Amino acid sequence: MASVTESEGTGLGGATRRQIQRVRDFADDTEPAALVTVTVMAIALLAAFVGFLLVSSLTIVPFAVFLLAAGYGWLRHQGPTAQVLTLTMTVSTLLILGLIIVFIFIEAVPVIRYESATVFGVSVPGLRMFIETRWDAVSDPVRYSMVPMIHGTLLVTVIATAVAAPLGVAAALFLSEIAPATVRELVKPGVEILAGIPSIVYGFIGFTVLAPWASDQFDLTGQGTYLFVGVVVGLMALPTVVSVAEDALSSVPESMKSGSLAMGTTDWQTMTSITLPAAFSGVSAAVLLGVGRAIGETMAATVMLRGVPRLTDPLVNVFYGQETLTSLIARNYGEADGLQMDALFAAGVILFITVLVISIGSQYIEWRMRRTLGGEV
């Protein structure tokens, strides 16, 4: 079977034609028995998925057929079966994520409708959640404003970024450009291991050590401050920033550094004028990933904060900590129902959109870095 020629282009149309050609090649090069096997696998898995959505007790039947067909195909037609299985796993992952997203948005619809507000005679769904500041699930009428929790999340994220960004970039620069190979081989795995420590451990340390100390030193009533929650979350995000930033700095071509040194610059001048600017996109992506970790942190904030959904007075007061979006969900989901449960899903939607935007931004920045360093300006 002839492959797609270069004349068909290298753009989106060319990529699509190449994919179609691969499917044709797969069909032409595969034995009829193998085609029957993978077809049975696909149909059985689709039937199992439909049965799952319909909550049918017969879902196990097509799923068992899928497993049997996959087992037979792996023994007799391993190549085509492996291709179909990997494709199935990829599609299943995307489908599961899509269903989760749809479920979260659907569950948030009732409270978004309830919190509608009228602007110039036009009803805007959910607007009252962002223009009022009262969260009250008991009084009549109930109100579910997200402003206090967004404010708390913003303060914690800013403080965490102020901790993780400079420390993380400095540590990454040391590991990439200064540290001997032996030190790098020991320190970098150790830093990455820190990312595996459960967040509840960080939160417990903050609650038992930092919070009492802050209460005594600053004469606070009760425990829980945005300042120290942000510090703890920043330390949690630090391994992510260090690891990604170090990879970005290490990807800078050695020829650029050698050329700078050959011009008579010092090592420090080369790092600040060549290495960091060249890897700026990757370093920025590392910081954004750390910010995403800070925004989505749950247990540390839940353990250390007071759990009062209201604004601090004044707004910039970081020595008191009330509530964040994640701690709101973690603290209330066990006893919430009705509109209050829907409000928690609305908080989840806000978190999802925020982290999605940050993730897309970091991926775009990394793509630009690879394109620039690869010479594809």
Side-chain angles (χ1 to χ4, degrees):
M1 176 62 66
S3 59
V4 178
T5 62
E6 294 183 1
S7 61
E8 291 178 318
T10 58
L12 182 60
T16 303
R17 287 191 290 271
R18 286 195 297 271
Q19 294 296 332
I20 295 174
Q21 189 64 44
R22 288 173 184 170
V23 173
R24 291 174 178 171
D25 291 343
F26 175 80
D28 291 343
D29 298 339
T30 305
E31 300 176 3
L35 282 176
V36 172
T37 302
V38 297
T39 302
V40 170
M41 289 170 54
I43 295 175
L45 189 60
L46 180 61
F49 175 70
V50 173
F52 172 78
L53 293 180
L54 297 177
V55 197
S56 172
S57 59
L58 299 177
T59 303
I60 188 63
V61 176
F63 187 69
V65 173
F66 167 76
L67 293 179
L68 291 173
Y72 171 80
W74 189 262
L75 293 175
R76 301 296 300 273
H77 314 286
Q78 193 172 96
T81 302
Q83 294 183 47
V84 172
L85 284 176
T86 53
L87 175 62
T88 300
M89 296 303 104
T90 304
V91 173
S92 298
T93 301
L94 297 177
L95 192 59
I96 291 171
L97 290 176
L99 290 175
I100 291 175
I101 294 170
V102 171
F103 176 76
I104 294 174
F105 276 82
I106 290 177
E107 291 295 321
V109 167
V111 75
I112 292 176
R113 291 176 177 173
Y114 175 79
E115 294 292 350
S116 298
T118 302
V119 179
F120 301 112
V122 179
S123 179
V124 181
L127 179 61
R128 197 164 55 197
M129 301 171 67
F130 304 99
I131 61 176
E132 294 187 0
T133 60
R134 183 168 70 94
W135 172 284
D136 191 346
V138 179
S139 303
D140 189 19
V142 295
R143 286 290 180 264
Y144 300 105
S145 172
M146 295 294 166
V147 174
M149 281 64 72
I150 294 175
H151 169 257
T153 301
L154 179 62
L155 286 181
V156 170
T157 303
V158 169
I159 296 170
T161 304
V163 172
L167 292 179
V169 173
L173 191 61
F174 172 79
L175 291 175
S176 174
E177 303 298 321
I178 301 176
T182 303
V183 175
R184 186 184 305 115
E185 292 174 0
L186 292 175
V187 173
K188 188 175 181 182
V191 171
E192 294 175 347
I193 289 174
L194 292 176
I197 298 177
S199 59
I200 187 64
V201 175
Y202 286 98
F204 182 73
I205 294 174
F207 178 76
T208 57
V209 179
L210 290 179
W213 180 84
S215 181
D216 293 338
Q217 294 297 317
F218 300 104
D219 195 21
L220 303 177
T221 303
Q223 295 186 4
T225 66
Y226 287 136
L227 176 62
F228 289 101
V229 172
V231 170
V232 171
V233 174
L235 294 177
M236 294 176 59
L238 193 57
T240 301
V241 178
V242 173
S243 181
V244 178
E246 197 274 336
D247 290 339
L249 292 169
S250 298
S251 67
V252 176
E254 195 64 32
S255 57
M256 296 176 63
K257 306 174 190 178
S258 300
S260 175
L261 293 172
M263 296 295 292
T265 62
T266 64
D267 290 337
W268 175 250
Q269 289 173 331
T270 298
M271 283 187 286
T272 55
S273 61
I274 300 297
T275 305
L276 272 177
F280 179 77
S281 296
V283 173
S284 301
V287 174
L288 286 178
L289 289 175
V291 171
R293 172 72 185 271
I295 292 175
E297 176 48 41
T298 302
M299 294 312 301
T302 304
V303 170
M304 296 182 65
L305 292 177
R306 303 167 189 269
V308 181
R310 67 184 181 191
L311 296 172
T312 57
D313 185 20
L315 294 178
V316 293
N317 182 8
V318 296
F319 290 98
Y320 282 89
Q322 310 294 355
E323 195 79 284
T324 63
L325 289 168
T326 53
S327 64
L328 175 76
I329 297 172
R331 207 185 305 274
N332 291 279
Y333 78 92
E335 58 186 21
D337 60 359
L339 281 177
Q340 185 179 3
M341 179 64 77
D342 298 332
L344 299 183
F345 276 104
V349 170
I350 296 173
L351 283 170
F352 170 78
I353 294 175
T354 304
V355 175
L356 177 65
V357 171
I358 291 175
S359 298
I360 293 175
S362 65
Q363 293 296 320
Y364 173 74
I365 290 174
E366 284 193 273
W367 171 77
R368 287 294 302 269
M369 182 195 72
R370 290 194 299 267
R371 184 182 180 189
T372 301
L373 293 181
E376 303 172 12
V377 181

